[in-house]
Amino acid sequence: MTDRQKNTRPSTPGTADVVVIGGGPVGLATALMMAKAGLRTTVLERGPRHLWEEPGFDGREIALTHESVRLLQQAGAWEFIPPAVICPLKEARVETGQFRHPLRFDTQGHGVEALGWLVSNCLIRRALFAAASRQPGLTLQAGTEVDTIRQGQDYAAIHFGENQINARLVVGADGRFSPTRRRAGIGAIIHDFGRSMLVCRMAHDSVHHNVALQWFDEGQTIALLPVNGRASSLVLTLEPAEIQRLQNLPREAFNAEITQRVGQRLGTMRLVSTRHVYPLKGVYAHRFTARRLALVGDAAVGMHPITAHGFNLGLKGQKTLVDAVTAAVARTGDAGNAQGLRQFERQHRMATAPLFAGTNGIASLYTHDGPPFRQIREAGLRLAERFTPFKKAVTGLLMDREPSTP
């Protein structure tokens, strides 16, 4: 046998209880909790290790609920997020057009000081990687492009390059256009809203008082999310061509236009970060499981950001999966047990289907500017602001906190 033949011969397959494909925040959280449950876990990430370990700023600020913070603490990641970059959210306001009667949500009557906490997505990813790199029983493999997945009766074989790893369970956590989902033959509902989002960080003259604003103005949707200091994260939704124009606009012209677009609410706005653009598409997988396979995060459900529940829902979904898998292992010794996966499928569908449909409905209602829609929005905000039980229920949903939690 020649040296070349020796070098190209497939290596002996590795083994794991669980292989997670995709090292984003939900994928890493899943892997961490699987490993903490005593399951040998491997994460296969397509990107290079240095970008995985130190991800750059991507414009996104994540509004973490009380439950999400608890889950990050449980995963061991919260301690790696510096307190100075965590911004408490005291109040959330929803407005429409020039209608000056906002719908307000705050913590009054809930016994806590914050609805939630805002943290940059890149810092959450960095913290999860730091925790994962220290977790016994967890292997992180960067620069790995999966070629095929063969789902057998007793295990799944994952092939990448000349290598193979056999696992009792494969978890697809590789985004809303998941190659893992596609390889498994699982289709998805893809809702294209025909809009794009521009996200960046803006400094401003006035203080934000830790208030988040969601403003459905005519022809545009604006979110201003507070970050520590006199700065906010801007999320601007427009037609793709308009977003592209704004992305390429010189800094001074961009500052002037954004100041005008937000109605000078916080004084003069100044760009203090890079600008990032994302297409606005919602995704809902037809199934969340297949033989020895489960989908989590955006691979299962990619939410419209209007309710800020995407990452929080992803964290809850991975917890549902980990709980179902650990119960199946205790019962049968098999992480990919079909009954356990069916249990996860049922629970996650019940938790996500109404929210996905409702979010899409709200997005459609609040992004049409015709007379019937405008009047309906204004009447809805006025009624909701006066109906205390509704506001209390929505506030509880935004916080995602057990009533007995101190």
Side-chain angles (χ1 to χ4, degrees), residues 46-108:
R46 181 171 53 186
R49 187 178 178 92
H50 72 279
L51 292 180
W52 197 12
E53 186 173 2
E54 292 288 337
F57 179 74
D58 61 10
R60 290 177 287 190
E61 302 291 330
I62 307 300
L64 296 168
T65 64
H66 289 247
E67 174 67 3
S68 290
V69 170
R70 190 187 70 78
L71 291 174
L72 289 173
Q73 290 171 337
Q74 193 176 46
W78 188 251
E79 63 188 86
F80 292 103
I81 301 177
V85 303
I86 301 170
C87 181
L89 177 59
K90 304 286 189 178
E91 181 182 324
R93 296 181 185 176
V94 182
E95 298 184 14
T96 181
Q98 302 305 310
F99 183 65
R100 296 304 183 192
H101 298 279
L103 173 59
R104 295 182 174 89
F105 301 99
D106 56 37
T107 60
Q108 292 183 15

Side-chain angles (χ1 to χ4, degrees), residues 172-194:
D174 46 354
R176 62 184 64 199
F177 304 110
S178 166
T180 302
R181 186 181 67 218
R182 186 183 67 249
R183 288 189 189 99
I186 300 174
I189 299 168
I190 299 178
H191 190 121
D192 189 344
F193 292 92

Side-chain angles (χ1 to χ4, degrees), residues 31 84 166 168 211 244 250 312 336 347 353-354 364-365 372 378 380 394 397:
N166 297 336
R168 304 304 292 270
V211 175
Q244 194 63 48
N312 296 304
Q347 289 183 246
S364 297
L365 173 64
E378 292 176 4
V394 173
L397 179 64

Side-chain angles (χ1 to χ4, degrees), residues 307-379:
T307 56
H309 261 280
F311 178 64
N312 296 304
L313 203 62
L315 278 184
K316 290 190 75 172
Q318 67 81 27
K319 180 183 185 302
T320 302
L321 176 63
V322 172
D323 287 349
V325 168
T326 52
V329 169
R331 188 175 62 251
T332 68
D334 184 359
N337 175 264
Q339 184 180 348
L341 295 183
R342 284 194 296 269
Q343 178 184 340
F344 158 70
E345 168 99 37
R346 285 193 301 270
Q347 289 183 246
H348 199 41
R349 192 168 296 281
M350 286 176 62
T352 57
L355 193 56
F356 182 81
T359 298
N360 287 353
I362 292 170
S364 297
L365 173 64
Y366 278 86
T367 53
H368 285 80
D369 293 323
F373 294 99
R374 190 165 59 248
Q375 277 80 17
I376 291 170
R377 292 199 296 263
E378 292 176 4

Side-chain angles (χ1 to χ4, degrees), residues 164-317:
Q164 176 181 331
I165 184 169
N166 297 336
R168 304 304 292 270
L169 174 66
V170 176
V171 179
D174 46 354
R176 62 184 64 199
F177 304 110
S178 166
T180 302
R181 186 181 67 218
R182 186 183 67 249
R183 288 189 189 99
I186 300 174
I189 299 168
I190 299 178
H191 190 121
D192 189 344
F193 292 92
R195 299 284 190 277
S196 292
M197 294 186 305
L198 182 146
V199 291
C200 60
R201 185 171 290 190
M202 307 291 294
H204 40 73
D205 298 330
S206 302
V207 296
H208 50 53
H209 299 292
N210 297 85
V211 175
L213 170 70
Q214 181 79 48
W215 182 27
F216 301 96
D217 193 18
E218 294 184 18
Q220 63 179 6
T221 300
I222 293 174
L224 289 172
L225 308 175
V227 297
N228 288 332
R230 294 196 181 191
S232 295
S233 173
L234 170 74
V235 184
L236 176 62
T237 303
L238 289 166
E239 297 282 348
E242 272 293 278
I243 289 292
Q244 194 63 48
R245 179 185 68 81
L246 284 167
Q247 186 183 30
N248 298 326
L249 209 59
R251 182 178 292 261
E252 291 304 316
F254 180 81
N255 291 342
E257 181 162 339
I258 295 303
T259 299
Q260 181 271 328
R261 281 184 175 276
V262 302
Q264 298 187 336
R265 289 166 179 267
L266 295 170
T268 301
M269 308 286 283
R270 299 175 299 281
L271 181 67
V272 291
S273 75
T274 48
R275 287 169 269 187
H276 301 265
V277 171
Y278 300 97
L280 201 52
K281 295 183 181 181
V283 175
Y284 198 90
H286 294 161
R287 292 180 289 128
F288 299 153
T289 62
R291 177 185 285 180
R292 300 203 169 274
L293 174 75
L295 302 175
V296 295
D298 283 356
V301 183
M303 296 286 289
H304 188 294
I306 196 171
T307 56
H309 261 280
F311 178 64
N312 296 304
L313 203 62
L315 278 184
K316 290 190 75 172

